[in-house]
């Protein structure tokens, strides 16, 4: 690829491709030759996948007429382009060619043709290293290929691949595959030795084994299955029998030659024979005459479907020596020679006609879901199989088909339809949950509604005829439910009846002022005081269902507007004095009767409040506080005995100075009482009755017409009607009074409009089709009468006065009985005469001149209906049982044979079980005079047996059935209550146990013989389900908060746990209680603190004469219940908020005379948010008494900083949790209401969370509606069984095969037989009881009505050929049993190549001289399913009866086998190494010693035996020839081999191996160890000498005997 910056260079055009370097990319191809210049081809388009030289096929028409082009230029081999003249023009490639232009519609014409995958070829065979050795482990990877090409679909002709590639990529040509590893043959262990084949002389013993796994995928073939061993029981006393008479097999059945053909052959061989005497006929002539006489009579019964020809077959009888050679027959002991010729039926194969034309397609309509149907064709039998001829092939054939032709109608599709839902009923659920409430009215909450579901043809428009009543008769008729597919819609569903919401109202407000009834009309002087309350919870049906909201009291002097006192200004002394008497001006507002402020001009008629007199105390006067506000009135009304009162108080703030000042009043003057609510207790209100029914409004023009159901399913209004109610005036506690006593303003309405529901007529479906008439026939072939029925369903029930439903919903009628019961049977005709072998074949045998001996006879079979009329034979082939035999063996007695009459009937018995009965027969003809016929042992003339004993014994059999309730009627429980409506689930029932009846021979007979109906019945009880029982709800607890939002609780406790499938309990706590928790709201004004006036000051010190200074005031504070009329009674203090409790005592300084006196502090101002210490709040007071000269008043303003949760608070909303679901009082389930509270909470408030065998008859049922919520669970038993009456079960059964019979000779080809017997059993297959299990043999006529089928096989085989070996002959045994199914797999690898089972035939020999004549052993395998995956491993250990250890292969299931174990390094036999070398990486050396492979060293046990082979690192020492010169660790070569130069290496390598071939250490190892020890002693010695302390040297005594000091100086020398 060459990149450039220009798109055109040197005059040549290049294709531009985007490069990452943002240059233009030119694509070219290198030249194949060595020339410097050549033509290059370039793509015509820049956007293609890969280097495709040709451009896209272009053209105006689709198909072969397209063209494609490419660019061609001249380029140098180095890559640069040049002029065209530099290239050879004769070799210039073409730049245009024809092509096939593909269009989209070609996709339907062309497709990829996929060839079959070829054989899996190993990957190693396709590589360069194919010759390397390969160890198979599980399987070898391989590749298989196939051919893929594009083709034309019409004729499968090949096409260009580019056509198919236009639509989809070319499928892959290769795929990976797995080649299984070779599977060797695996054999079982040998059987025990047989006894010696001879009782004297030299014989053979044999032992055999069988094949467990056959050789597969090129595995090793099977070894010999037989092992021989000579034996000599002892010398023979006389000569051994050396010859045996052997019978050969029968030849195929053949027709005898005609007499003419034999006469021609005889004339050719013998010439002219002797003329027979006139009138004397040979036996053959007599036979031919007899045949001609009876031919016409026999042919009358001949069926055209059978061509029975009797032929003959022969066999050889030879004399055989013990060595297997054939000798003269006279050497064998001659006895009565066996038959060498016999009659037989000439085999004829079944012949059938050609197939008839295909029948019509079963699908006659268009069905998009299942468009394919079936069509059938048949053929007839021309010739039934005779003898051993081939059976008939299938006579019927079918194939898929689609309806052909135009105008095929669409198929009828079916769908589920349903009637309308019934009304929602609570009692059906309520009765299940609480039977005592099942009959209550006014129920609400969860309920149940039902409907019927039926199947209709889908193209019936249900909504159409429901909307149009004129077509209601065209409703879709019901059809059989089995025609509808898919799940059945629900027949029931839960529903909800809204519970009525009760009206909740607020407390009464205060009485308003006395106002006119109508302020616009003030003519009369009658007035009313009103009080009102509001609706806090809107009720169902609107506010009309609430109690009265307004009460009125008549009053005098009414007014519509009045002045309301807002407050009083400061007291201003009169005459400009600083103190003394004065007045306070009133601040007022003009309000209406509702307390709303209005224009002041409306109150002009009422006098404004006068100024209130007051007094400003002087400096020496007594100072009193302001009056408190009036308390609430104690009564809402007044009477002769009760009056309403109000109270206000004040207190002394400072005492007077004695002589000069005004005195303080006495204590009684510190409070005032006034009357209030002086109106009489005569309260009136309007009372409303319930709304009446909705009736037609005469003024409305719309008529109430009958309609069907709306498309939406709802019931819309048809017209507007009118409802009325009664409204009366009521005096409280008295009753109804005249209406004029109540004010007209709040009077409720008595009429309101309403919507009238539409009438609904009953709508029913048309009658369904009549049910089919089943045809039942009795034993005599007479048809029984049955009934057929039809029904219709109610789709819509009538309501609101609509048309009623018809009474007749089901009809029933008798079926027409067919004249003839359908059914076919085979009719057998009489047996024909016994047909013998032709005389010319038997003429050499004794008695051949007679017409006697074994023969064959045939009979005809025809097809009949049950009434005996002739029927087509094909009907019997389809519907009748197996056809009876048409041939049988027969015997014509000869003159020398003993002939007897048939047996007579048994003599009568005088009584059952007493005596015997006999039957007799007699010799006839010449047999009476023959001595051999008089032998009663061979030919008994009488037979005696005990009289039949009709004694029967009944016994129970099998287990008890489920407890089954009786059918019909309601079942009452033990308590006498209904159980789930009419559903029978509990109560008294019965369980059953089957009875069997045996005769005196312990054979099963009908139970009626034992006077039993087949059962033992026993009463049983199905316990009724008991639901969880809880107590009633306790009373609600008090609200957890006395002010604001709290919770209240009520509970239930467990009384009885559920059992027997009762309704479960709700979730209980640890003390078996369940709670309901709901939020509650306590009125914060419900309980209030009431403080009495402050007491007189008690001065504790200072000047008592002045009565001032530090003092204490006290007062009583009580918690009281706050009512509409004010605090009424004292309650416990804990009901009031303790944080809001007023102070009961206060300490302060009592001002002295002439001091400044301030009033009580006003309220604190609000702290500004957020709460910080920089903000503050204030309160103010004003002076009530001015100080004297020289004294000052204290500050009238008090400030304090704002502290969070001290005097400044944040506020937030608090939402409580949802309560439990609260239902209406008349509901136990369904929709309810959950509530929660929303509170405004101050930041200093803390919250706490509130923590609360034999034949059985079965019946089954399915859950239609599962339980929901706390509903009672469905019963767990969905099926029940009860025993069938134990009737005798008869069946045909084979007996065991007899031994191989070869008539009167010793050996040869013979026949073995088995019988077909009738057996009786109880059908259980178990062995309980003497009459059960495999059954007992009974008379064959009891099985006469059964089809001849044994284990599903209709081919009855009662004899088969066999071979009886001659003495000394080597022969094959019978086939072994099939081995267990074995999976050809790799254990743990997940690789499985299928499963197989195998059986084998081993060889048995009797003479050592005949071993060479033995046949080959045989085995055969067949695939199977569910095979077990086994592993094989070598096992060693001591065998029984052997002192030596041995090695054998064992399968993972513990079976000892031969073959299957891995061939890699198998343990050798004990003959070389003992014990065997079983350790991994070990082998047995030539010296008979266990050694390890190369790279491993031997680790021996304490007994000197090999324990394991451990890997060792081996030094590789390079020699001079090795150029690398480095030391590496390498895997060792076998150390026992001589050191040689390995291929691929230069130089030699030595390996340091410390152990010798015998497992002992080599001598050089001891030398190295000794040298190392000497070196160690030397090193230790040198260290000892170097570290030893030197001895002090002896010094010479000086003459003066003075010791001179020695000074040692270290100069750094090491020697020091």
């Amino acid at each position: 690829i060459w990149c450039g910056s220009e798109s055109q260079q040197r005059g040549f055009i290049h294709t531009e491709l985007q490069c990452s370097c943002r240059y233009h990319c030119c694509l070219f191809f290198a030249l194949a030759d060595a020339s410097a210049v050549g033509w290059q081809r370039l793509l015509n388009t820049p956007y293609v996948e890969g280097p495709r030289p040709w451009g896209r096929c272009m053209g105006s028409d689709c198909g072969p007429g397209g063209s494609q082009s490419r660019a061609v230029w001249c380029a140098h081999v180095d890559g640069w382009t040049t002029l065209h003249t530099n290239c050879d023009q004769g070799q210039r490639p073409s730049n245009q060619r024809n092509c096939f232009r593909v269009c989209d519609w070609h996709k339907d014409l062309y497709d990829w043709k996929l060839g079959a995958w070829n054989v899996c070829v190993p990957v190693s065979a396709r590589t360069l290293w194919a010759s390397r050795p390969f160890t198979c482990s599980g399987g070898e990877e391989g590749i298989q290929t196939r051919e893929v090409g594009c083709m034309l679909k019409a004729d499968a002709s090949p096409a260009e691949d580019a056509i198919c590639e236009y639509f989809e990529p070319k499928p892959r040509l290769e795929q990976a595959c797995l080649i299984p590893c070779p599977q060797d043959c695996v054999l079982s262990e040998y059987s025990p030795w047989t006894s010696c084949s001879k009782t004297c002389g030299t014989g053979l013993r044999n032992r055999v084994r069988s094949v467990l796994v056959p050789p597969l995928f090129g595995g090793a073939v099977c070894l010999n299955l037989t092992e021989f061993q000579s034996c000599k029981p002892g010398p023979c006393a006389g000569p051994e029998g050396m010859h045996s008479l052997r019978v050969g097999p029968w030849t195929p059945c053949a027709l005898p030659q005609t007499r003419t053909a034999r006469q021609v052959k005889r004339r050719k061989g013998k010439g002219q024979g002797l003329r027979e005497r006139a009138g004397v006929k040979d036996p053959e002539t007599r036979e031919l005459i007899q045949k001609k006489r009876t031919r016409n009579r026999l042919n009358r019964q001949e069926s055209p479907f059978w061509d029975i020809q009797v032929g003959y077959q022969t066999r050889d009888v030879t004399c055989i020596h013990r060595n297997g050679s054939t000798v003269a027959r006279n050497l064998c002991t001659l006895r009565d020679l066996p038959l060498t010729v016999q009659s037989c039926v000439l085999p004829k194969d079944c012949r059938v006609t050609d197939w008839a034309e295909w029948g019509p397609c079963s699908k006659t309509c268009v069905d998009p879901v299942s468009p394919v149907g079936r069509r059938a064709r048949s053929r007839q039998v021309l010739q039934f199989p005779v003898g051993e001829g081939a059976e008939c092939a299938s006579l019927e054939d079918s194939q898929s088909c689609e309806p052909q032709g135009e105008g095929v109608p669409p198929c009828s599709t079916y769908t589920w339809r349903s009637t309308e839902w019934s009304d929602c009923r609570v009692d059906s659920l309520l009765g299940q949950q609480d039977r005592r409430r099942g009959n209550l009215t006014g129920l609400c909450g969860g309920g149940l509604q039902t409907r019927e579901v039926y199947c209709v043809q889908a193209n019936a428009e249900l909504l159409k005829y429901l909307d149009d009543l004129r077509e209601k008769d065209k409703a879709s008729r019901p059809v059989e439910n089995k025609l509808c597919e898919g799940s059945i819609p629900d027949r029931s569903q839960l529903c909800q009846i809204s519970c009525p919401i009760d009206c909740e109202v607020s407390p009464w407000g205060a009485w308003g002022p006395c106002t006119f009834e109508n302020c616009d009309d003030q003519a009369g002087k009658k007035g009313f005081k009103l009080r009102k309350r509001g609706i806090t919870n809107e009720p169902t049906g609107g506010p009309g269902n609430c109690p009265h909201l307004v009460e009125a009291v008549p009053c005098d002097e009414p007014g519509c507007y009045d002045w309301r006192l807002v407050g009083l200004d400061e007291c201003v002394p009169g005459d400009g004095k600083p103190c003394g008497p004065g007045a306070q001006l009133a601040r007022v507002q003009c309000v209406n009767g509702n307390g709303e402020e209005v224009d002041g001009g409306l109150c002009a008629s009422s006098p404004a409040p006068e100024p209130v007199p007051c007094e400003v105390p002087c400096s020496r006067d007594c100072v009193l506080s302001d009056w408190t506000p009036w308390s609430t009135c104690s009564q809402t009304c007044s009477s002769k005995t009760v009056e309403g009162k109000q109270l206000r108080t004040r207190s002394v703030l400072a005492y007077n100075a004695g002589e000069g000042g005004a005195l303080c009043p006495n204590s009684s003057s510190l409070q005032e009482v006034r009357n209030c609510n002086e109106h009489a207790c005569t309260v009136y209100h309007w009372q409303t009755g319930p709304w009446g029914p909705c009736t037609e409004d005469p003024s409305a023009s719309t008529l109430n017409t009958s309609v069907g159901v709306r498309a939406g399913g709802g019931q819309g209004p048809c017209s507007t009607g009118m409802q009325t109610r009664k409204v009366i005036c009521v005096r409280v506690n008295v009753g109804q009074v005249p209406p004029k006593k109540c004010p007209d303003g709040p009077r409720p309405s008595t009429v309101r409009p309403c919507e009238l529901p539409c009438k609904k007529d009953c709508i029913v479906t048309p009658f369904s089709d009549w049910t089919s008439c089943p045809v039942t026939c009795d034993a005599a072939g007479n048809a029984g009468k049955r009934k057929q029925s039809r029904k219709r369903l109610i789709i819509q029930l009538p309501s609101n006065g609509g048309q009623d439903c018809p009474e007749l919903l089901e009809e029933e009628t008798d079926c027409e009985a067919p004249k003839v019961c359908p059914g076919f049977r085979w009719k057998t005709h009489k047996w024909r005469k016994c047909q013998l072998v032709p005389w010319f074949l038997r003429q050499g045998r004794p008695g051949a001149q007679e017409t006697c001996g074994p023969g064959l006879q045939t009979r005809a079979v025809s097809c009949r209906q049950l009434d005996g009329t002739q029927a087509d034979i094909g009907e019997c082939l389809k519907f009748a049982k197996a056809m009876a035999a048409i041939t049988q063996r027969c015997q014509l007695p000869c003159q020398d044979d003993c002939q007897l009459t048939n047996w007579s009937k048994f003599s009568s018995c005088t009584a059952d079980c007493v005596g015997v009965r006999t039957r007799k027969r007699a010799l006839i003809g010449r047999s009476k005079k023959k001595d051999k016929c008089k032998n009663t042992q061979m030919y008994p003339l009488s037979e005696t047996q005990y009289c039949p004993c009709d004694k029967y014994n009944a016994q129970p059999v099998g287990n008890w059935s489920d407890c089954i309730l009786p059918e019909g009627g309601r079942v009452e429980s033990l308590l006498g209550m209904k159980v789930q409506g009419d559903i029978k689930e509990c109560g008294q029932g019965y369980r059953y146990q089957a009875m069997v009846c045996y005769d005196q021979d312990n054979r099963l007979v009908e139970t009626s013989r034992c006077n039993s109906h087949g059962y033992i019945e026993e009463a049983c009880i199905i316990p009724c389900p008991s639901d969880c029982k809880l107590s009633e709800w306790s009373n609600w607890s008090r609200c957890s908060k006395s002010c604001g939002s709290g919770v209240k609780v009520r509970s239930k406790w467990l009384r009885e746990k559920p059992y027997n499938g009762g309704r479960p309990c709700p979730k209980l706590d640890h003390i078996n209680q369940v709670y309901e928790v709901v939020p509650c709201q306590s009125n914060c004004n419900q309980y209030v603190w009431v403080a009495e006036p402050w007491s007189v000051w008690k001065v504790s010190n200072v000047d008592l004469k002045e009565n001032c200074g530090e003092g204490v005031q006290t007062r009583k504070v009580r918690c009281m219940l706050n009512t509409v009329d004010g605090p009424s009674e004292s309650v416990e203090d804990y009901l009031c908020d303790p944080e809001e409790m007023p102070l009961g005592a206060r300490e302060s300084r009592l001002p002295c005379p002439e001091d400044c006196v301030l009033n009580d502090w006003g309220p604190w101002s609000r702290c500004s948010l957020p709460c910080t210490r920089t903000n503050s709040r204030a309160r103010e007071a004003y002076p009530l008494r001015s100080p004297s000269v020289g004294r000052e008043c204290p500050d009238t303003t008090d400030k304090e900083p704002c502290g969070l949760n001290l005097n400044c608070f944040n506020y937030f909303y608090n939402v409580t949790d949802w309560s439990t679901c609260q239902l209406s009082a008349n509901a136990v389930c369904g929709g309810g209401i959950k509530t929660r509270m929303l509170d405004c909470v101050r930041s200093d408030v803390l919250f706490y969370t509130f923590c609360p065998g034999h034949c059985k008859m079965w019946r089954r049922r399915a859950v239609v509606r599962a339980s929901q919520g706390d509903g009672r669970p469905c019963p767990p038993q969905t099926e029940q069984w009860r025993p069938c009456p134990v009737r005798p079960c008869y069946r045909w059964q084979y007996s065991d095969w007899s031994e191989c019979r070869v008539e009167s000779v010793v050996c040869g080809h013979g026949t073995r037989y088995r019988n077909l017997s009738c057996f009786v059993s109880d059908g259980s297959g178990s062995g309980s009881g003497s009459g059960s299990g495999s059954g007992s043999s009974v008379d064959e006529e009891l099985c006469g009505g059964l089809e001849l089928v044994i284990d599903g096989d209709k081919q009855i085989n009662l004899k088969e050929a066999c071979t009886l070996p001659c003495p000394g002959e080597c022969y094959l045994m019978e086939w072994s049993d099939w081995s267990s199914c074995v999976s050809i797999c790799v254990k743990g690898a997940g690789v499985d190549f299928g499963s197989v089972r195998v059986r084998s035939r081993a060889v048995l020999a009797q003479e050592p001289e005949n071993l060479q004549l033995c046949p080959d052993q045989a085995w055969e395998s067949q695939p199977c399913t569910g095979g077990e995956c086994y592993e094989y491993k070598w096992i060693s250990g001591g065998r029984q009866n052997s002192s030596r250890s041995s090695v054998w292969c064992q399968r993972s299931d513990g079976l000892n086998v031969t073959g299957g174990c891995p061939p890699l390094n198998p343990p050798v036999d004990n003959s070389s190494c003992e014990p065997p070398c079983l350790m991994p990486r070990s082998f047995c050396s030539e010296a008979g010693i266990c050694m390890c492979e190369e790279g491993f060293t031997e680790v021996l046990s304490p007994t000197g035996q090999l324990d394991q082979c451990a890997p060792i690192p081996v030094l590789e020492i390079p020699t001079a020839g090795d150029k690398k010169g480095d030391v590496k660790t390498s895997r060792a070569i076998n150390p026992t081999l001589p050191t040689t130069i390995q291929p691929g290496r230069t130089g030699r390598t030595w390996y340091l191996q410390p152990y010798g071939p015998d497992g002992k250490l080599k001598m050089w190892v001891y030398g190295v160890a000794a040298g190392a020890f000497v070196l160690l002693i030397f090193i230790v010695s040198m260290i000892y000498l170097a570290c030893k302390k030197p001895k002090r040297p002896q010094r010479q005594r000086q003459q003066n005997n003075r010791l001179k000091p020695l000074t040692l100086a270290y100069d750094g020398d090491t020697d020091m």
Side-chain angles (χ1 to χ4, degrees), residues 1290-1309:
Y1290 300 105
R1291 71 182 188 277
W1292 292 108
Q1293 183 173 318
Y1294 285 130
S1295 63
D1296 294 331
W1297 286 108
S1298 66
E1299 293 183 355
C1300 193
R1301 300 173 185 172
V1302 196
E1303 300 182 25
S1304 59
V1305 297
V1306 176
C1307 61
H1309 291 268

Side-chain angles (χ1 to χ4, degrees), residues 63 74 200 242 308 331 469 546 564 582 600 667 738 797 1285 1332 1371 1393 1411 1477 1480 1595 1597 1611:
C74 185
C200 64
M242 302 299 294
I308 303 176
L331 296 179
L469 290 178
C546 285
R564 182 172 63 186
S667 59
L797 292 170
S1332 60
Y1371 62 94
F1393 299 104
L1411 289 178
C1477 306
R1595 294 182 176 83
R1597 188 179 298 271
D1611 60 357

Side-chain angles (χ1 to χ4, degrees), residues 449-475:
Q449 54 186 167
T450 59
R451 63 179 178 181
E452 288 193 54
V453 177
Y454 58 99
C455 183
V456 299
Q457 191 173 337
N459 52 12
E461 296 293 338
L462 180 62
L463 295 178
K464 181 178 179 182
Y465 77 82
L466 288 180
D467 286 336
D468 191 349
L469 290 178
R470 291 173 301 178
E471 296 185 2
K472 65 182 180 181
D473 293 334
K474 297 181 181 178

Side-chain angles (χ1 to χ4, degrees), residues 1018-1259:
E1018 183 178 84
C1020 56
I1021 296 294
I1022 298 179
C1024 294
S1026 176
D1027 298 338
C1028 175
K1029 293 183 176 59
L1030 302 176
S1031 66
E1032 297 296 331
W1033 285 111
S1034 65
N1035 294 325
W1036 286 107
S1037 68
R1038 184 173 289 170
C1039 194
S1040 62
K1041 289 290 184 68
S1042 60
C1043 174
S1045 298
V1047 291
K1048 60 180 181 179
V1049 185
R1050 66 175 180 175
S1051 61
K1052 288 182 178 182
W1053 52 273
L1054 178 65
R1055 289 172 51 199
E1056 187 177 333
K1057 290 185 177 180
Y1059 57 90
N1060 296 331
R1063 185 177 301 106
C1065 292
K1067 188 175 182 181
L1068 303 175
D1069 65 355
H1070 65 285
I1071 58 174
N1072 288 334
Q1073 286 189 349
V1074 61
Y1075 298 93
E1076 270 193 353
V1077 181
V1078 295
C1080 56
Q1081 182 75 30
S1082 294
N1083 187 0
C1084 291
N1085 297 323
Q1086 184 178 5
Y1087 303 100
V1088 293
W1089 293 106
V1090 176
E1092 295 182 358
W1094 289 105
S1095 67
V1096 179
W1097 281 94
K1098 292 182 180 180
V1099 181
S1100 58
N1101 51 13
V1102 196
D1103 188 1
L1104 295 180
K1105 294 181 180 180
E1106 297 290 337
N1107 201 10
C1108 65
E1110 299 294 333
V1112 177
Q1113 275 183 308
T1114 60
R1115 63 179 175 182
K1116 286 186 177 181
V1117 178
R1118 292 177 295 173
C1119 181
M1120 300 190 72
L1121 176 64
N1122 194 17
T1123 63
V1124 178
D1125 299 326
S1128 59
E1129 58 178 328
S1130 296
V1131 293
E1132 297 293 334
D1133 287 350
Y1134 72 87
L1135 295 175
C1136 292
D1137 189 354
E1139 296 181 358
E1140 296 182 359
M1141 183 177 182
L1143 295 175
R1146 65 180 179 180
E1147 295 180 358
S1148 184
R1149 184 180 181 278
L1150 189 65
C1152 292
E1154 299 184 2
D1155 286 345
C1156 180
V1157 179
L1158 302 178
N1159 72 328
D1160 287 335
W1161 288 104
W1164 286 102
S1165 64
R1166 184 182 295 275
C1167 283
S1168 60
L1169 298 178
C1171 298
T1172 59
R1173 300 292 295 182
T1174 57
N1175 297 334
S1176 61
R1177 67 175 185 170
R1179 61 180 178 175
E1180 293 181 350
Y1182 60 89
L1184 295 176
R1185 186 179 71 180
S1186 300
S1188 60
V1189 179
R1191 298 185 183 186
E1192 294 181 356
C1193 284
D1195 289 339
T1196 58
T1197 302
D1198 185 18
K1199 289 186 178 183
E1200 68 176 6
C1202 293
L1204 181 62
N1205 294 338
L1206 295 176
N1207 53 17
C1208 182
F1209 305 97
N1210 292 323
Y1211 296 88
F1212 59 91
Y1213 284 110
N1214 177 63
V1215 181
T1216 64
D1217 293 332
W1218 288 108
S1219 70
T1220 53
C1221 190
Q1222 301 297 304
L1223 298 175
S1224 170
N1226 289 334
V1228 292
C1229 64
I1233 297 176
K1234 287 184 176 182
T1235 55
R1236 61 180 179 179
M1237 294 295 182
L1238 176 66
D1239 292 322
C1240 181
V1241 182
R1242 207 169 70 181
S1243 58
D1244 62 333
V1245 178
L1246 298 179
F1247 280 89
Y1248 298 91
T1249 58
F1250 182 83
C1251 300
H1254 278 260
C1255 169
K1256 297 178 180 180
M1257 293 185 292
W1258 293 88
R1259 64 176 182 179

Side-chain angles (χ1 to χ4, degrees), residues 513 559-566 587-609:
C560 288
Y561 305 99
D562 199 2
W563 296 103
R564 182 172 63 186
L565 180 65
V566 178
R587 298 192 303 272
V588 295
Q589 291 177 344
C590 182
V591 294
N592 60 13
N594 295 328
E596 301 169 350
E597 184 177 2
V598 295
D599 183 48
L602 297 176
C603 294
S605 59
S606 300

